Amino acid sequence: MVLKKTYLYILFSLIYALWLCMLPHEIFKDRDSYLTIYAQDFDGHLGLNSSPLLFMFNEGGYFLINKLLSVFQDPSVTVRIIVFTICFSVSFSCFRYTDKLWKAFVLLILLFLNPQFFAMELVVLRQGLGLAILLLIFPSNRVKLLFLLLLLGLIHTSFYILFAFFLASLVIEKILKNSLIGLRQLVLVLIGIIFNVLIYFVSQYLGAKQELNASDAGGSGFMFLIWLVVLLYILIFKRESRTSYDKYYELFYDFSVMGLMIYLTGYFLSPISGRLIGTFIPFIYLVLLKRVNFLGVIVLLLVFCLNFLLFFRGGMEAFTLVSILDFFKHLLFIS
């Protein structure tokens, strides 16, 4: 029975991924660069990575993937395969990590109508591919997660930032393990502020600065407030049960808290935090959807309503070259 359900989830995810990967390239911002710089000029860029260090920090892994996909001899196919992989991973993970079918579909809708995550699926493909791999092979212990984040930095350098912050948070937790929880969170906030100041300058060299202004499109101060509410809710109401669900939940919890702290401490300091939050959004929603009570429903509705409003009031259009009406015409195959 379980195996039969898995096959159905795979089939649905295949259809979902095929549906989205066939959307026209020309309706998305920056798709041209993926069709030319990455899908065609990979040899030139790989040739510039004359040392392992340059390969690491110039996203050599993503260029190498494009080189492998060049066997199809069509840049358009290369990009569509990458989009397909991202969308399949997102859809399948919605079923894999939730305990109820309705939660999987709610999660899929929440993710698609979140402007920041919409970009992860269809626009910022390097970061999206890194997240797709993370979701597909998410480890069940912290050491493996650290190692995986380090490897994913070869695809998108933002994962090096996540690796460094996650490592710092684990060290702080180890040092202050007998201290008050509030003290540990305060130290992490201070680290977050320092990190956001530093990564803004480091990103000038690592490539994570692209599309920064659009990644938090339409948020004003509302996104800060909504994610602050979510962080407080998770810290207060989800912490005690973080080890009582499944082997992934505790790491989802830690990863979500880390992502929200990076985002909130950098909201007014560095636009990079708006780009990084996209990686954490699936895990935040997964934590919120575990054993949902009345207060949890209120928080979910608050997050959904604000993101829904942002999506239809310019958030989605920040990442496309067409209006939202034209986008949905393409999505629904309406000529």
Side-chain angles (χ1 to χ4, degrees), residues 205-216:
Y205 302 97
L206 300 189
K209 62 179 181 294
Q210 299 176 15
E211 303 142 4
L212 292 174
N213 293 330
S215 60
D216 201 19

Side-chain angles (χ1 to χ4, degrees), residues 112-125:
F112 188 81
L113 293 179
N114 183 299
Q116 292 156 316
F117 197 80
F118 172 86
M120 295 287 289
E121 282 193 285
L122 297 170
V123 183
V124 287
L125 303 185

Side-chain angles (χ1 to χ4, degrees), residues 27-176:
I27 69 175
F28 297 107
K29 287 185 178 179
D30 297 310
R31 190 62 69 88
D32 282 347
S33 65
Y34 286 101
L35 289 167
T36 55
I37 297 174
Y38 296 101
Q40 295 184 58
D41 195 25
F42 44 81
D43 279 330
H45 286 273
L46 286 171
L48 295 174
N49 298 325
S50 55
S51 69
L53 195 62
L54 286 173
F55 184 86
M56 284 180 61
F57 291 112
N58 286 330
E59 299 173 344
Y62 189 80
F63 284 109
L64 191 58
I65 290 170
N66 277 260
K67 183 178 176 66
L68 293 174
L69 292 176
S70 67
V71 67
F72 296 103
Q73 299 182 335
D74 186 348
S76 178
V77 173
T78 294
V79 173
R80 292 195 191 282
I81 290 174
I82 291 171
V83 174
F84 178 91
T85 303
I86 297 169
C87 295
F88 175 84
S89 172
V90 169
S91 176
F92 184 70
S93 297
C94 288
F95 295 103
R96 178 187 177 191
Y97 297 122
T98 53
D99 54 355
K100 302 289 184 182
L101 189 60
W102 68 265
K103 288 184 180 181
F105 284 109
V106 167
L107 179 56
L108 199 59
I109 293 169
L110 285 170
L111 291 174
F112 188 81
L113 293 179
N114 183 299
Q116 292 156 316
F117 197 80
F118 172 86
M120 295 287 289
E121 282 193 285
L122 297 170
V123 183
V124 287
L125 303 185
R126 289 165 295 144
Q127 189 179 355
L129 182 61
L131 175 60
I133 296 170
L134 180 63
L135 286 169
L136 283 175
I137 57 173
F138 196 86
S140 56
N141 70 68
R142 296 175 176 185
V143 175
K144 290 180 180 179
L145 178 57
L146 274 173
F147 182 68
L148 181 56
L149 290 174
L150 191 61
L151 286 179
L152 292 176
L154 296 173
I155 295 175
H156 193 263
T157 46
S158 67
F159 287 95
Y160 291 138
I161 298 170
L162 305 189
F163 166 81
F165 197 94
F166 192 53
L167 178 61
S169 68
L170 294 182
V171 171
I172 292 300
E173 184 175 343
K174 186 74 173 178
I175 294 173
L176 301 176

Side-chain angles (χ1 to χ4, degrees), residues 114 116 161-162 165 188-189 191-193 195-196 199 212 214-231 255-281 284 306-307 310:
N114 183 299
Q116 292 156 316
I161 298 170
L162 305 189
F165 197 94
L188 286 177
V189 168
I191 291 175
I193 293 172
F195 258 71
N196 275 287
I199 63 179
L212 292 174
S215 60
D216 201 19
S220 302
F222 290 110
M223 292 311 300
F224 178 85
L225 291 175
I226 195 68
W227 289 124
L228 178 61
V229 169
V230 170
L231 175 61
F255 207 57
S256 299
V257 169
M258 181 184 81
L260 288 166
M261 285 192 171
I262 292 174
Y263 178 74
L264 293 171
T265 56
Y267 191 90
F268 300 107
L269 296 174
S270 166
I272 293 173
S273 62
R275 176 71 176 271
L276 294 177
I277 189 65
T279 302
F280 298 98
I281 286 174
I284 296 169
L306 182 56
N307 279 291
L310 291 176

Side-chain angles (χ1 to χ4, degrees), residues 19-32 35 79-80 83 112 118-119 122-123 315-334:
W19 178 36
L20 292 184
C21 82
M22 295 309 295
L23 287 169
H25 295 304
E26 58 270 17
I27 69 175
F28 297 107
K29 287 185 178 179
D30 297 310
R31 190 62 69 88
D32 282 347
L35 289 167
V79 173
R80 292 195 191 282
V83 174
F112 188 81
F118 172 86
L122 297 170
V123 183
M316 186 279 292
E317 291 173 336
F319 299 103
T320 63
L321 298 172
V322 295
S323 68
I324 192 164
L325 180 60
D326 288 336
F327 172 77
F328 275 96
K329 284 181 178 178
H330 286 292
L331 190 66
L332 300 174
F333 305 106
I334 300 173

